[in-house]
Amino acid sequence: MPEIPDLNIFNKNLSKRLVGKTLDTITILVPRRLKVPESDLKEAFEGQQLVAIRREGKELHFSFKNGRVLGLHLMLHGTMFWYDKTNENKFTIVELLFSDGTGLAITDWQKAVIITLDPKPTKVPDAMDMPSGYLNTALKKISHPIKTVLTEGKIVRGIGNAYVDEILYEAKISPFSVANRIPEDKIAVLTKAIETVLTDAEDHIMQNFPDTITEKERDFLQVHRPKQTQTLAGEDILKAEINKRKTYYTESQILFE
């Protein structure tokens, strides 16, 4: 699943190529998860100039000149591809064709991609824009595993299964730790780890895949390494499931319970 580092790069590259252009047609090939009629999307967006694209948590929001917004959540296997006038990509969910012939195809063999019309705003802060001391207060009454808390989107937005393992490894906190049992000094370390891990990952992707709009290799990750038995530092990787999520961690991560 694309997470904050991936989506920030996607956002920059999509914006560079699409902002300022007029959307000619939007075509929904798989309406399985669409909550409004395709005609509503056509009425809202066709013939409108795209004025901005921004990331909101794990979503990309395409804002048009008339004030309407197209929300895109790529879910686990959603992928974006450029095309010129005619789309030949398999498993396409939606096509966006702009008036100059530039096309964007969103595909997903699982058919799980979510397209929304005018997504509702949320008060849950983005992982890269949390108020000072936010996690200290937010975690006090939560008795669930910290990995679950950081990924479910109710306390913080944008962190997924891969990068939460990286963040907890960086902070040296066990993913099984009970959220409200983590001491304040370690929450400060955790907060810093969120910023460090996500920023470093984005820098790596930008350096190695500067023009990408599709998720790339994650061989640079330290502990979330499904095909490996050791971290890049040589520690043994332990594997488990937490709330049906595959989890990778090490013995060096402290358990608070």
Side-chain angles (χ1 to χ4, degrees):
M1 173 185 288
E3 300 182 35
I4 284 176
D6 311 288
L7 292 170
N8 281 346
I9 303 298
F10 299 172
N11 187 16
K12 291 175 184 177
N13 291 324
L14 291 168
S15 297
K16 187 164 50 178
R17 190 160 175 181
L18 296 179
V19 167
K21 295 182 179 180
T22 298
L23 183 66
D24 188 27
T25 56
I26 178 171
T27 305
I28 306 296
L29 284 77
V30 180
R32 175 179 171 184
R33 303 200 68 178
L34 199 62
K35 294 183 179 180
V36 298
E38 181 180 8
S39 58
D40 287 3
L41 297 176
K42 288 182 172 293
E43 182 179 355
F45 302 123
E46 290 185 350
Q48 294 295 324
Q49 184 184 41
L50 180 65
V51 295
I53 306 173
R54 66 183 186 277
R55 181 187 60 78
E56 292 286 345
K58 295 178 187 175
E59 297 183 1
L60 292 174
H61 288 183
F62 296 70
S63 299
F64 290 81
K65 194 170 184 178
N66 61 354
R68 309 304 295 272
V69 178
L70 176 70
L72 169 64
H73 195 312
L74 292 169
M75 300 302 289
L76 190 60
H77 296 292
T79 306
M80 297 182 291
F81 298 97
W82 298 115
Y83 68 89
D84 183 20
K85 297 179 182 178
T86 302
N87 172 36
E88 297 181 353
N89 291 285
K90 295 181 179 180
F91 309 115
T92 297
I93 304 297
V94 57
E95 296 173 348
L96 302 177
L97 181 61
F98 290 81
S99 55
D100 68 343
T102 301
L104 180 67
I106 295 107
T107 72
D108 184 0
W109 62 269
Q110 274 195 331
K111 303 178 181 179
V113 161
I114 299 175
I115 302 293
T116 52
L117 175 61
D118 298 328
K120 295 181 180 179
T122 176
K123 294 182 179 180
V124 177
D126 188 86
M128 297 299 287
D129 191 29
M130 293 186 293
S132 178
Y134 171 75
L135 284 182
N136 284 325
T137 301
L139 299 182
K140 283 182 178 179
K141 296 182 179 180
I142 302 177
S143 57
H144 300 301
I146 187 62
K147 173 164 182 173
T148 300
V149 174
L150 292 177
T151 55
E152 65 185 353
K154 297 178 181 179
I155 296 299
V156 61
R157 292 180 295 133
I159 301 174
N161 195 47
Y163 284 104
V164 72
D165 286 349
E166 295 296 299
I167 289 164
L168 293 172
Y169 175 71
E170 172 74 15
K172 289 297 178 277
I173 297 173
S174 167
F176 294 93
S177 293
V178 178
N180 61 7
R181 297 291 186 178
I182 302 173
E184 288 194 3
D185 62 329
K186 289 298 289 185
I187 293 177
V189 173
L190 174 61
T191 301
K192 179 62 176 177
I194 290 172
E195 179 182 358
T196 299
V197 167
L198 297 179
T199 300
D200 288 352
E202 182 177 341
D203 290 344
H204 176 91
I205 297 168
M206 177 59 79
Q207 182 176 353
N208 290 277
F209 309 101
D211 301 317
T212 188
I213 58 169
T214 61
E215 187 178 328
K216 298 298 184 181
E217 53 83 13
R218 288 178 170 173
D219 291 346
F220 65 94
L221 296 187
Q222 302 292 315
V223 70
H224 190 93
R225 299 164 61 80
K227 297 180 180 180
Q228 307 298 326
T229 59
Q230 291 188 325
T231 67
L232 289 182
E235 297 176 87
D236 289 338
I237 297 174
L238 305 178
K239 302 178 182 181
E241 281 199 8
I242 299 177
N243 198 24
K244 297 183 180 180
R245 292 177 180 267
K246 292 181 179 179
T247 300
Y248 303 87
Y249 64 107
T250 67
E251 288 186 352
S252 65
Q253 294 171 240
I254 302 171
L255 176 63
F256 298 98
E257 57 182 351

